[in-house]
Amino acid sequence: MSDCRDFRGQFSAHLDGALTPGEAAALEAHLAQCPACREALEGLRATVARIRAVEPVEPPPWLEARILARIRPQPWTRRLSTLATRPQLGAAALVLVCFTGLLVLKLSGPRKALEPPAPRPAQRFQEQEAAPATAAPARKQTAPRPPPAARDEAPALQEAAPPAAEPPPPAAMGRVGAQKKETAREESKARKAVMADQTQNYAAPASVALRLEASGNPEEAVLEALRQCGGALLARRQGQITARVDRDRLPALRAALEKAGRLRETAPPDLPRDVFVTISW
Amino acid sequence: MSRRAVDEGSEDGELVSACRMGDPDAFGILVRRHQKTMLNLAYRMLGNYEEACEAAQDAFVAAHRGLPGFRDEARFTTWLTAITLNQARNRLASLASRRRNEAFSLDAPIATDRGEVHPDPPSGAPSALDLLEARARKRQVEMCIQALPPDFREVLILRDLQDHSYLEIGELLKVREGTVKSRLARARDGVKTCLERALGAA
């Protein structure tokens, strides 16, 4: 009976005919006198059948055209005009606001919340630390995606990376942004929005800087202030926080931050709906 | 000019060569031929159709860019699969970080990273309609696949949904065949356990 465990590890390969003749013979001999293993094998066979019966999804009709459009080089002037006539992108354009703070008394408090979890040991299976099936809700909160027809140019960002590359590091983002010198300011703004939307990992220059002078570590206070204003945290570094807040909540955020310390800022008068806020100290 | 015209019936290798020679239609044929497989690979990895479409697009664009340096014409599918897998993994990583940010959303501070794929049925009440139940059962398999850790999920997808051999999977994932075998066994067991838990004795 103690053999059962070893044999069950071979069931999967057995179903694929991937055991050596010797292994298969030993397994068959065991199955012949072990009803429990026979049942377990049938159970696995049924599971595999169900997995294999999962129906494939159909590609959207536009997929081929989109791919072919992207591999045909377009003159940059046309790209520009495509971009300029994309209202969704305009609406999604985000202004980056950078708050910087002066830490008078540096307390390096615990900073675990945003750190990525430790890499999962490859073979730890039972814990089921799985990627959630419903990734869709996470998407909904990001800025609106450009419509299919207009998307051809947007992923220029990914094209900059080689096929096998890891997601580009923040520094690379900045570089991508810098390549587009010839483009109008609106476009660079829009690109930042796309960048932020796609990666939420940007290190783009801030258009406005806010500085919080506090005696102590204002991190908790800053988080609390953002929480009050419905901010969505995007990045957190030592002495700096980036979050997205609604334009209308900015005054409230400012007021909340002022409770934590002295705030110095230069905010543009007409901010779009979404504002990226980077707070540092 | 010994160049032969390619059409929908041409082999992948011929099409790849034609692409390199500048045939404008050859790559389109490759896209039409492989887009569904690549999309499904990405879709099962990501669990999100939109993301999968983006990943498939990026994969084909990357493949097109990589064609000049690609020599092993006979194995275009394997190569394309590796690229698609890479795109899907990258997106998986960015989805995960997005979820971390969402999880930390100050609007909803109690959102957690886990739980969304909990293999419990939506409600404890037994389903009244067989049709609905059948659909739910189908959906349950998909969810259980999705619930596997990515390292196990990709082996399962490549073997059971895309029909690659152990050898090919080992090459694609750059792991030994024995590892493929054991990961696949655990992935299948994982789906089985997940289904049993979700469906009870059904």
Side-chain angles (χ1 to χ4, degrees):
Chain A
M1 275 303 135
S2 63
D3 296 344
C4 286
R5 185 187 293 218
D6 297 334
F7 282 120
R8 287 186 188 192
Q10 298 183 329
F11 284 0
S12 165
H14 184 56
L15 291 176
D16 289 330
L19 292 180
T20 63
E23 286 171 334
L27 177 59
E28 291 293 352
H30 174 76
L31 286 171
Q33 43 97 28
C34 180
C37 279
R38 281 202 299 275
E39 197 187 321
L41 177 61
E42 286 321 301
L44 188 64
R45 196 193 302 278
T47 299
V48 172
R50 287 186 64 183
I51 295 168
R52 291 181 164 247
V54 166
E55 281 160 22
V57 295
E58 288 298 323
W62 44 258
L63 187 61
E64 179 195 339
R66 193 89 66 81
I67 293 165
L68 296 181
R70 275 178 63 186
I71 63 173
R72 271 182 204 116
Q74 288 181 352
W76 69 268
T77 45
R78 214 189 116 200
R79 294 193 219 172
L80 202 60
S81 65
T82 315
L83 202 80
T85 56
R86 237 188 275 169
Q88 284 83 353
L89 215 52
L94 306 167
V95 161
L96 300 175
V97 181
C98 180
F99 286 77
T100 56
L102 187 68
L103 184 58
V104 177
L105 227 164
K106 203 167 226 168
L107 304 171
S108 44
R111 321 171 33 79
K112 37 193 182 308
L114 263 202
E115 306 297 339
R120 187 185 328 106
Q123 304 290 330
R124 261 180 52 223
F125 181 73
Q126 288 308 324
E127 273 76 3
Q128 296 266 337
E129 189 186 348
T134 50
R139 278 222 64 79
K140 297 292 180 257
Q141 289 196 16
T142 57
R145 312 274 290 174
R151 288 269 307 152
D152 297 344
E153 264 319 296
L157 204 76
Q158 283 125 1
E159 287 182 39
E166 296 297 316
M173 298 287 154
R175 186 175 50 73
V176 171
Q179 282 171 353
K180 303 283 168 191
K181 272 183 199 148
E182 82 280 7
T183 57
R185 210 162 123 238
E186 270 309 308
E187 189 196 353
S188 97
K189 234 189 228 178
R191 275 190 184 278
K192 271 176 214 155
V194 170
M195 243 192 275
D197 178 35
Q198 288 178 345
T199 68
Q200 298 214 345
N201 193 19
Y202 66 94
S207 58
V208 177
L210 287 197
R211 206 170 170 80
L212 183 64
E213 293 176 5
S215 58
N217 188 346
E219 190 174 25
E220 284 308 317
V222 169
L223 286 173
E224 180 55 34
L226 285 167
R227 198 173 287 130
Q228 285 170 13
C229 304
L233 200 60
L234 298 177
R236 184 152 85 163
R237 256 172 291 172
Q238 186 68 47
Q240 181 169 301
I241 280 175
T242 304
R244 190 177 62 217
V245 299
D246 189 288
R247 172 192 53 193
D248 299 340
R249 309 293 291 271
L250 255 193
L253 176 64
R254 203 183 303 125
L257 286 169
E258 272 164 355
K259 285 182 201 152
R262 206 154 70 84
L263 194 65
R264 286 188 291 158
E265 65 173 302
T266 45
D270 51 348
L271 291 171
R273 172 62 58 187
D274 285 321
V275 176
F276 278 81
V277 184
T278 303
I279 303 165
S280 55
W281 55 88
Chain B
M1 290 283 127
S2 62
R3 202 198 301 174
R4 201 149 62 83
V6 290
D7 55 34
E8 299 284 343
S10 302
E11 302 264 321
D12 280 358
E14 296 174 88
L15 292 165
V16 168
S17 305
C19 283
R20 275 210 214 98
M21 311 276 271
D23 185 323
D25 301 326
F27 198 73
I29 299 174
L30 287 169
V31 171
R32 276 194 292 286
R33 185 173 294 171
H34 297 293
Q35 58 174 351
K36 186 170 172 181
T37 309
M38 298 308 143
L39 173 70
N40 275 277
L41 171 59
Y43 178 57
R44 293 302 164 197
M45 281 302 287
L46 295 164
N48 177 317
Y49 189 75
E50 280 174 49
E51 287 283 336
C53 288
E54 298 287 325
Q57 271 188 68
D58 290 349
F60 277 104
V61 172
H64 186 263
R65 215 176 28 237
L67 272 183
F70 175 64
R71 286 285 158 261
D72 197 1
E73 276 98 344
R75 316 209 48 210
F76 178 75
T77 318
T78 312
W79 182 63
L80 185 61
T81 300
I83 294 173
T84 307
L85 205 54
N86 240 311
Q87 295 289 346
R89 283 172 168 177
N90 290 350
R91 278 181 184 269
L92 205 57
S94 89
L95 273 179
S97 82
R98 203 178 295 153
R99 263 196 299 272
R100 267 201 301 282
N101 290 328
E102 295 293 339
F104 206 74
S105 161
L106 298 157
D107 277 336
I110 17 184
T112 69
D113 239 355
R114 301 169 182 225
E116 289 168 78
V117 283
H118 234 265
D120 290 330
S123 103
S127 169
L129 299 165
D130 287 350
L131 198 69
L132 270 180
E133 200 172 87
R135 257 177 67 183
R137 280 166 57 91
K138 250 184 194 168
R139 179 83 193 108
Q140 198 68 54
V141 182
E142 298 183 19
M143 282 174 71
C144 286
I145 294 172
Q146 196 62 40
L148 294 169
D151 286 351
F152 294 89
R153 188 161 72 235
E154 61 191 9
V155 176
L156 185 91
I157 294 167
L158 290 169
R159 175 70 203 146
D160 284 337
L161 300 182
Q162 308 241 307
D163 229 19
H164 287 279
S165 70
Y166 286 34
L167 184 69
E168 281 173 333
I169 298 170
E171 282 173 5
L172 281 167
L173 303 179
K174 298 187 178 65
V175 298
R176 285 178 302 110
E177 231 180 299
T179 309
V180 173
K181 214 182 267 191
S182 68
R183 279 192 197 169
L184 180 63
R186 297 176 73 153
R188 286 168 166 174
D189 279 343
V191 173
K192 184 169 177 257
T193 310
C194 171
L195 287 172
E196 283 164 359
R197 253 192 291 166
L199 304 167

